[in-house]
Amino acid sequence: MGPGVAERLLDARHHTRLAALARTDSRLVAHDLAAPPPAVAAALADAEVLLTCWGAPPLTASVLAAAPRLRAVVHAAGSVKHHLTDACWERGIAVSSAAAANALPVAEYTLAAILMANKRVLHSAHRYRGLRTGHDWHRELAGAGNYRRTVGVIGASRIGRRVVELLRPFALDVLLYDPYLDAAEAARLGVRPVPLAALCAGSDVVTVHAPQLPATRHLLGARELALMPDGATLVNTARGSLVDAAALLPELVSGRLSAVLDVTEPALPPPDSPLYELPNVLLTPHIAGSMGTELHRLADSALDELARYAGGLPFADPVRPEHLGRSA
């Protein structure tokens, strides 16, 4: 994993458990497998499982040649596309991911964003700061609230499904767009499947949870954004590339739409971007995913998988190569 990641991911409890499971030095972290230092090279030659996380170096054919006993990779994060190569799948290496664990904080952030958007919290806070006097808020916020509002979820991904689950206790109508979702699965999820255009036109809040793929670039463009009702809110915790930034900005500057953006394109907006100052935009620096104490959930998930492997059991959350073409 990348420099500094292990220190944030693993606490003393994890090191104790890892050492017991692996019977090895749990503090040996490899940042470079193409030209590893002697201690890493020796460990790699004997390794049966690799525990990886963000910043993991690519597992190329030459790296695998130096790891003849390698049988599995347990990834303590979401996507494995950044470090797994075709050579891994050709070798038949078993792979597990903590994507399900990482989906939880993203879904929780999204739930909070949806409830606050319908309550018009951003608008109220900005107005309150400016007025600083008594005001008829019931009149101004007559259309606000979360009762019988409609939320459109784009993508029946792990995160999208978790968002749907978290929305169940609320009196909200949920629309879902996913080209791979059939009617039976939509019924099981308790959502109404609709085309993307219908979702945009019929939702008070649109939240994006599709994977970043060539086919999903600018999934929400000028047409889709124009279909969203006046006063609607766009929530994006997926990837900035899924929304056409050039089409979104005029909608936000005009005040017709609001947005909660945890991801943007570019990833860091330029210093003079209006996104930093617009009162109808909540801009956060890609914090919806696991951070702080939530990293320990990823570690717990990964070590649970390692324990399953050590016990001769299949992974609870395997990654299958045939699914990579339509996953994050």
Side-chain angles (χ1 to χ4, degrees):
M1 50 193 74
V5 175
E7 290 79 2
R8 300 194 301 272
L9 180 72
L10 304 169
D11 61 17
R13 175 175 57 89
H14 297 124
H15 280 291
T16 299
R17 187 181 180 197
L18 182 56
L21 284 169
R23 295 189 298 276
T24 187
D25 181 2
S26 69
R27 298 184 184 276
L28 179 63
V29 182
H31 306 310
D32 180 7
L33 294 180
V40 171
L44 187 62
D46 194 43
E48 187 175 349
V49 182
L50 290 182
L51 174 62
T52 63
C53 195
W54 295 306
L59 302 181
T60 61
S62 60
V63 169
L64 295 182
R69 297 186 65 235
L70 187 64
R71 297 291 179 269
V73 173
V74 175
H75 189 53
S79 177
V80 300
K81 289 184 176 181
H82 305 291
H83 66 295
L84 261 65
T85 66
D86 289 343
C88 297
W89 306 116
E90 291 165 3
R91 173 122 150 219
I93 290 174
V95 179
S96 170
S97 164
N102 193 51
L104 299 180
V106 182
E108 291 165 356
Y109 175 108
T110 301
L111 173 64
I114 291 169
L115 297 178
M116 292 180 72
N118 281 333
K119 199 75 172 176
R120 299 189 67 189
V121 170
L122 267 182
H123 168 85
S124 304
H126 177 74
R127 288 273 287 142
Y128 198 23
R129 266 197 309 272
L131 291 172
R132 304 191 185 194
T133 61
H135 185 67
D136 187 351
W137 293 108
H138 284 280
R139 180 177 180 180
E140 180 162 339
L141 301 177
N146 280 289
Y147 183 65
R148 294 271 70 96
R149 304 304 289 271
T150 301
V151 177
V153 178
I154 298 177
S157 60
R158 292 177 186 273
I159 298 171
R161 289 166 185 259
R162 184 62 175 165
V163 169
V164 169
E165 291 175 6
L166 293 179
L167 290 173
R168 283 193 187 120
F170 301 94
L172 295 164
D173 298 319
V174 181
L175 308 179
L176 180 62
Y177 166 73
D178 190 306
Y180 299 101
L181 187 77
D182 60 30
E185 182 66 5
R188 191 190 69 78
L189 291 172
V191 298
R192 180 153 56 96
V194 294
L196 180 59
L199 182 146
C200 291
S203 299
D204 299 295
V205 179
V206 172
T207 180
V208 186
H209 304 291
Q212 178 176 258
L213 303 169
T216 60
R217 177 168 178 79
H218 292 180
L219 182 65
L220 291 176
R223 173 178 174 269
E224 290 76 21
L225 295 169
L227 288 171
M228 292 176 62
D230 292 354
T233 299
L234 173 67
V235 180
N236 190 5
T237 59
R239 288 292 184 267
S241 66
L242 273 66
V243 179
D244 184 345
L248 176 62
L249 190 58
E251 298 278 19
L252 299 177
V253 170
S254 72
R256 195 184 78 81
L257 298 180
S258 297
V260 178
L261 303 175
D262 189 53
V263 289
T264 55
E265 189 180 47
L268 179 64
D272 60 348
S273 172
L275 295 178
Y276 292 111
E277 302 295 338
L278 285 172
N280 54 328
V281 174
L282 175 60
L283 183 67
T284 55
H286 201 170
I287 61 168
S290 297
M291 295 194 74
T293 62
E294 294 161 344
L295 294 177
H296 296 157
R297 181 193 283 128
L298 300 182
D300 287 339
S301 174
L303 295 189
D304 286 347
E305 290 287 62
L306 184 56
R308 290 180 66 85
Y309 180 88
L313 299 173
F315 287 138
D317 207 355
V319 178
R320 305 196 187 282
E322 62 268 24
H323 296 161
L324 291 177
R326 53 188 177 97
S327 65

